[in-house]
Amino acid sequence: MAVPKRKMSRSNTRSRRAQWKTTAPSLVTCVNPACRAKHLQHTVCPTCGQYGAKGERRQVVES
Amino acid sequence: MPTPTKGSRLGGSPAHEKLILSNLATSLFEHGAITTTASKAKRLQPLAESMITKAKRGDLNSRRQVMKRIKDKSVVHVLFTEIGERYADRPGGYTRIIKLGPRKGDNAPMVKIELVEALADSPKAKKTAAKKAPAKKAPAKKAAAKADDAAEVQDEVKDEAKASDVTAGKYEGSAAPLADGSAPEGFDIKGNENSMKFHTPDSPWYDQTEAEVWFSTEDAAVAAGFTKAGETEDK
């Protein structure tokens, strides 16, 4: 079995981990004029529970 | 080599997977809509659609084929008598998946899978729709009625007050916009009749809003049936 020849230094470990970065998700504004909250695209708005395009096609998914 | 099935493998064994999918399909046809994880819903969708196609055909053989997967006879009966009939004119696409966002706990992406056009038919949906409809429409209707009443009054008022600078608006404590669309003095809150919202000068949408009516105070706007822009209905 292959094994590491040398101990990995703290410096190398931390240099590697310094590259772990998060990215902000791109959000859209809720179409519901009464809500206007930010939520993920193509997802039910968690604030008002509505989903879909404007008007008749918009439906209340969560109560 | 046979082409593998699309989507994720569910459960611990092929038998377990079959049972999961059968139970999901049973629940879907029983309730019209179910909330589940995205991967399960994506496996369920083709199974449910083919079952509805069989229900549309409606002969004994297709009923037996469905009975192999759905063990509940009453659900099969509903599927063949009600659901199949409902989709007689629809060439496929009987189900819809709506993403609900990740679940608390394991962060699994949750979805709602539902039978299309079923919203008005299922008893559960009827209840919620009945609950929500009056709650949401009532204030709008009231406001509309108020506006109608007020509009009549306003017509009379307008004739008398045409000479004065500030024309009284439709509502109490409000004023109609001046000829050039700017604010009458003392009335700096914009009211948008299309959305029934009002905007204070510090609202982010203040500049882009076209005011049909101007209010002197927030209270007057609320009394006239307007809500403050940016405030959600649910809160």
Side-chain angles (χ1 to χ4, degrees):
Chain A
M1 194 181 76
V3 287
K5 192 169 189 177
R6 297 240 171 252
K7 175 185 174 157
M8 195 166 196
S9 70
R10 258 182 297 193
S11 162
N12 274 343
T13 304
R14 286 170 185 172
S15 301
R16 186 182 73 250
R17 287 184 187 162
Q19 301 305 314
W20 298 356
K21 282 162 191 160
T22 58
T23 49
S26 56
L27 300 176
V28 292
T29 312
C30 183
V31 185
N32 180 5
C35 178
R36 291 280 166 211
K38 293 276 185 185
H39 64 89
L40 285 173
Q41 219 168 3
H42 307 300
T43 306
V44 171
C45 173
T47 318
C48 66
Q50 290 192 13
Y51 178 79
K54 280 179 186 175
E56 286 291 299
R57 295 178 61 201
R58 195 163 180 81
Q59 60 160 305
V60 178
V61 178
E62 285 172 332
S63 53
Chain B
M1 184 182 146
T3 316
T5 319
K6 272 190 181 175
S8 15
R9 305 283 99 80
L10 307 172
S13 62
H16 190 188
E17 180 174 274
K18 246 182 147 180
L19 279 168
I20 289 174
L21 289 173
S22 300
N23 290 337
L24 281 170
T26 310
S27 305
L28 177 65
F29 295 134
E30 194 180 344
H31 301 285
I34 54 173
T35 305
T36 180
T37 60
S39 48
K40 275 183 194 160
K42 279 185 180 171
R43 287 298 307 276
L44 170 63
Q45 200 169 28
L47 178 71
E49 301 251 345
S50 73
M51 278 179 178
I52 293 174
T53 308
K54 288 194 180 90
K56 280 167 78 176
R57 208 176 297 143
D59 55 5
L60 184 62
N61 182 44
S62 42
R63 188 181 286 259
R64 281 179 179 156
Q65 281 180 332
V66 171
M67 287 292 288
K68 284 199 290 189
R69 301 303 298 271
I70 299 181
K71 302 297 175 187
D72 192 337
K73 270 188 187 171
S74 58
V75 173
V76 176
H77 178 73
V78 169
L79 174 65
F80 273 70
T81 54
E82 290 172 25
I83 298 174
E85 230 163 71
R86 193 194 301 154
Y87 296 130
D89 300 332
R90 189 177 279 267
Y94 315 113
T95 57
R96 175 190 296 132
I97 291 179
I98 297 174
K99 298 191 184 82
L100 297 177
R103 169 165 67 189
K104 273 261 165 70
D106 64 355
N107 209 27
M110 298 300 284
V111 299
K112 181 181 172 189
I113 179 165
E114 63 187 8
L115 302 172
V116 298
E117 294 175 15
L119 289 168
D121 297 2
S122 70
K124 212 181 171 190
K126 252 187 195 170
K127 260 187 212 165
T128 49
K131 256 189 220 164
K132 285 208 173 143
K136 282 213 167 164
K137 277 178 189 167
K141 265 186 194 166
K142 257 188 217 165
K146 250 190 203 170
D148 286 345
D149 290 351
E152 283 169 23
V153 177
Q154 184 219 11
D155 286 341
E156 293 164 20
V157 172
K158 246 190 183 173
D159 294 338
E160 293 167 10
K162 255 182 186 171
S164 74
D165 246 358
V166 176
T167 318
K170 292 179 181 180
Y171 314 98
E172 262 185 39
S174 73
L178 300 180
D180 59 350
S182 61
E185 221 177 289
F187 298 86
D188 56 0
I189 293 172
K190 282 182 171 181
N192 184 345
E193 283 184 332
N194 295 334
S195 62
M196 289 309 284
K197 294 189 165 300
F198 67 87
H199 300 264
T200 53
D202 52 354
S203 153
W205 305 283
Y206 186 76
D207 289 333
Q208 71 193 48
T209 305
E210 274 187 39
E212 277 89 12
V213 63
W214 295 82
F215 292 101
S216 53
T217 58
E218 283 189 24
D219 292 336
V222 173
F226 285 77
T227 48
K228 190 171 182 177
E231 273 182 358
T232 57
E233 278 178 1
D234 298 345
K235 269 174 191 170

